[in-house]
Amino acid sequence: MANSRSGDSVIDRLVRVLATFDRDERVLTPTEIARRAELPASTAHRLVGDLTAAGLLERDEEGGYRVGLRLWELATRGSRALGLREAAIPPMERVQARVRQHTQLAVLDGDETLFVERLSHPEAVGNIAQIAGRLPLHASSSGLVLLAFAPADVVERVVAGALPALGPETITDAAALRRKLAEVRRLGYAVAPGSIEAVATGIAVPVREGRDGIAALGVVLPRDAGDPLRVATVLAAGAHEIAEALAAQRSRSMG
Amino acid sequence: MANSRSGDSVIDRLVRVLATFDRDERVLTPTEIARRAELPASTAHRLVGDLTAAGLLERDEEGGYRVGLRLWELATRGSRALGLREAAIPPMERVQARVRQHTQLAVLDGDETLFVERLSHPEAVGNIAQIAGRLPLHASSSGLVLLAFAPADVVERVVAGALPALGPETITDAAALRRKLAEVRRLGYAVAPGSIEAVATGIAVPVREGRDGIAALGVVLPRDAGDPLRVATVLAAGAHEIAEALAAQRSRSMG
């Protein structure tokens, strides 16, 4: 059994193993993990054993493995996602009570939109955004808001990069994206009809801390549902409540 | 710089580093991490660097480190905590609208109560349970429910182990704990007044899957608040909804 030559390569492999699991593949065999992580079977088996011993993976009755609650606990307890979602859940519930479709909260992470919370009505319109899921920044109203209030270097990287079409009306042209971002800054909200699903419209507003945007609060509605400005007003009130709750958290933690 | 001799020791150290962070200490310096993880400074610094490079830790502007969103994402996406909380949030909101104090969901993990979700009213009574926080099984109404419906070996280990007093009325006697568990099985709910805080009462019911208890749905109320049976009835309706939502998730994932 070969030893790892340095700690960082173990961490890289650990990330590759953990990244093989997702919402649709919550239980995997060691062989599936090895294939999806592109690791030799012996390496994957050994790492799965070590991760299971540490509680980071759990073995089920049929011999499959899943992400362990211990890992979720370690990752959640100190995470800014936890503080953010605690501040956001009550305002999101108030927004959701009005829109009764999808209400979601996203942050900018690694030049992508990372969704940290979502409330969904059981009969809501289709929405591919998922908790702990990612989307490209240009492809949703939440991402457009995050990008509009992001540092200039992030904007330049995204505008210069690939702008794949995720739906019939995704903005895929750099100049059109710049114009859209200027519009979002001017209006204070983003509307993205058909950016992902032809039948749905995303509307999002920034959660601001001073001049910075620290998150995007958004909804996904059926294409024909109501006046975007009216929805944006409901969202802006929610975003303001989230910002106030975050400020209260910070003053408590410093007190 | 010494290389790690095998992957598992890197994972052990990684868990020790991640476990240094918690809700009250979300940002730590490498020196604080080394001290709290009981690791040599050079080892801790190197591991913090590797974890940061992999996105599992994040560096803030002042040179402190915090748990990275990438780790939260990997830990959440495939976790059974995610499916459980998605099934539980709408019923929990309905319970919370009735009790307007604390409504929480817990699972059994490693012979402890692990809280996976909590909704709290801003002016609610004191409650030490926290999301991704743990309590001993004998010390709260949620834990008593989990223990009452746990496998016999778990019950024997807990009853034979230390039963520390967390509050004025925590059950600390093995025979009294056995009687309490029998009562919980007979009534279908647990009431734990003063088990943690003298002024608060916990009330919890099992979320059942067949004959197994897979989670506990509970509330924490002021000591003088209402009839436990009436509250337990509200909780039982919520627990039934959660079990149905979980069954629907499973049939969707198999469909």
Side-chain angles (χ1 to χ4, degrees):
Chain A
M1 177 158 61
N3 286 335
S4 61
R5 293 206 31 248
S6 72
D8 54 356
S9 70
V10 175
I11 290 171
D12 290 343
R13 281 184 239 136
L14 173 144
V15 169
R16 281 160 70 181
V17 164
L18 294 178
T20 62
F21 294 88
D22 61 34
R23 167 184 301 259
D24 300 319
E25 300 290 347
R26 291 193 183 175
V27 178
L28 295 171
T29 66
T31 307
E32 289 168 331
I33 293 169
R35 184 176 49 75
R36 291 165 64 108
E38 298 179 15
L39 288 172
S42 62
T43 305
H45 275 72
R46 197 170 61 241
L47 197 48
V48 165
D50 291 344
L51 289 169
T52 306
L56 305 188
L57 292 180
E58 291 171 2
R59 194 157 188 273
D60 76 3
E61 296 84 33
E62 285 90 44
Y65 289 84
R66 59 191 315 158
V67 173
L69 277 176
R70 175 71 176 144
L71 182 65
W72 173 83
E73 175 190 5
L74 290 171
T76 300
R77 238 170 25 180
S79 165
R80 64 186 160 104
L82 180 60
L84 192 53
R85 69 168 293 291
E86 286 186 341
I89 280 268
M92 287 179 69
E93 285 170 3
R94 287 189 277 274
V95 170
Q96 177 66 358
R98 299 282 290 274
V99 303
R100 299 176 64 83
Q101 290 282 333
H102 303 280
T103 302
Q104 53 207 28
L105 188 75
V107 296
L108 178 69
D109 190 65
D111 290 359
E112 292 181 302
T113 312
L114 175 63
F115 290 90
V116 295
E117 191 52 81
R118 189 179 88 164
L119 303 176
S120 291
H121 192 275
E123 288 155 28
V125 68
N127 175 8
I128 66 168
Q130 296 184 331
I131 296 172
R134 290 174 181 263
L135 285 178
L137 284 166
H138 71 289
S140 75
S141 59
S142 295
L144 290 169
V145 158
L146 292 171
L147 194 53
F149 296 95
D153 59 317
V154 177
V155 177
E156 291 314 310
R157 276 197 302 272
V158 171
V159 170
L163 299 172
L166 267 67
E169 291 166 67
T170 313
I171 298 170
T172 56
D173 173 75
L177 180 55
R178 284 190 196 279
R179 284 194 301 275
K180 183 68 177 183
L181 296 177
E183 178 198 284
V184 172
R185 290 186 205 105
R186 192 175 68 244
L187 295 177
Y189 63 91
V191 183
S195 183
I196 295 170
E197 307 255 10
V199 296
T201 294
I203 306 174
V205 304
V207 178
R208 308 289 296 266
E209 188 175 56
R211 293 182 55 194
D212 296 334
I214 54 171
L217 176 65
V219 295
V220 176
L221 306 175
R223 185 68 177 258
D224 55 1
D227 171 17
L229 177 58
R230 206 181 56 78
V231 175
T233 307
V234 172
L235 285 172
H240 183 70
E241 289 172 15
I242 294 171
E244 286 194 328
L246 285 171
Q249 273 181 9
R250 249 192 311 281
S251 67
R252 271 201 304 278
S253 72
M254 288 189 285
Chain B
M1 178 156 64
N3 286 334
S4 62
R5 292 205 34 246
S6 72
D8 54 357
S9 71
V10 175
I11 290 170
D12 290 343
R13 281 184 239 139
L14 174 143
V15 169
R16 280 160 70 183
V17 164
L18 294 177
T20 62
F21 294 89
D22 61 33
R23 165 183 303 258
D24 300 318
E25 302 289 346
R26 290 193 183 174
V27 178
L28 296 171
T29 65
T31 307
E32 290 168 331
I33 292 169
R35 184 176 48 76
R36 290 166 66 108
E38 299 180 14
L39 288 172
S42 62
T43 305
H45 275 72
R46 197 170 61 243
L47 197 48
V48 165
D50 292 344
L51 289 169
T52 306
L56 305 188
L57 293 181
E58 291 171 4
R59 195 156 189 272
D60 75 3
E61 296 85 32
E62 285 90 44
Y65 289 83
R66 59 192 315 159
V67 174
L69 278 176
R70 175 70 176 145
L71 181 66
W72 173 83
E73 175 190 5
L74 290 171
T76 300
R77 237 169 28 180
S79 164
R80 64 187 159 103
L82 180 61
L84 193 52
R85 69 168 293 291
E86 286 187 340
I89 280 268
M92 286 179 71
E93 284 171 4
R94 286 189 278 275
V95 171
Q96 176 66 359
R98 298 282 291 274
V99 303
R100 299 177 65 81
Q101 290 282 332
H102 304 279
T103 303
Q104 53 206 29
L105 189 75
V107 297
L108 179 69
D109 190 64
D111 290 0
E112 293 180 302
T113 312
L114 175 64
F115 291 89
V116 296
E117 192 53 80
R118 189 179 87 164
L119 303 175
S120 292
H121 192 275
E123 288 154 28
V125 68
N127 176 8
I128 66 168
Q130 297 183 330
I131 296 171
R134 290 174 182 263
L135 285 177
L137 285 166
H138 71 289
S140 75
S141 59
S142 295
L144 290 168
V145 159
L146 292 171
L147 193 54
F149 296 95
D153 60 318
V154 178
V155 177
E156 291 314 310
R157 276 197 304 271
V158 171
V159 170
L163 299 171
L166 267 67
E169 291 166 68
T170 314
I171 298 171
T172 56
D173 173 77
L177 180 55
R178 283 190 198 280
R179 285 195 299 275
K180 183 68 177 183
L181 296 177
E183 178 197 285
V184 172
R185 289 187 204 101
R186 190 174 70 245
L187 296 178
Y189 63 92
V191 183
S195 183
I196 293 170
E197 306 255 9
V199 297
T201 294
I203 305 174
V205 304
V207 178
R208 308 288 296 266
E209 187 174 57
R211 291 182 57 196
D212 296 333
I214 53 171
L217 176 65
V219 295
V220 175
L221 306 175
R223 186 68 176 258
D224 55 1
D227 172 16
L229 177 57
R230 205 182 57 77
V231 175
T233 307
V234 172
L235 285 171
H240 183 70
E241 289 171 15
I242 295 171
E244 287 195 327
L246 285 171
Q249 272 181 9
R250 250 191 311 281
S251 67
R252 270 201 304 278
S253 72
M254 289 189 285

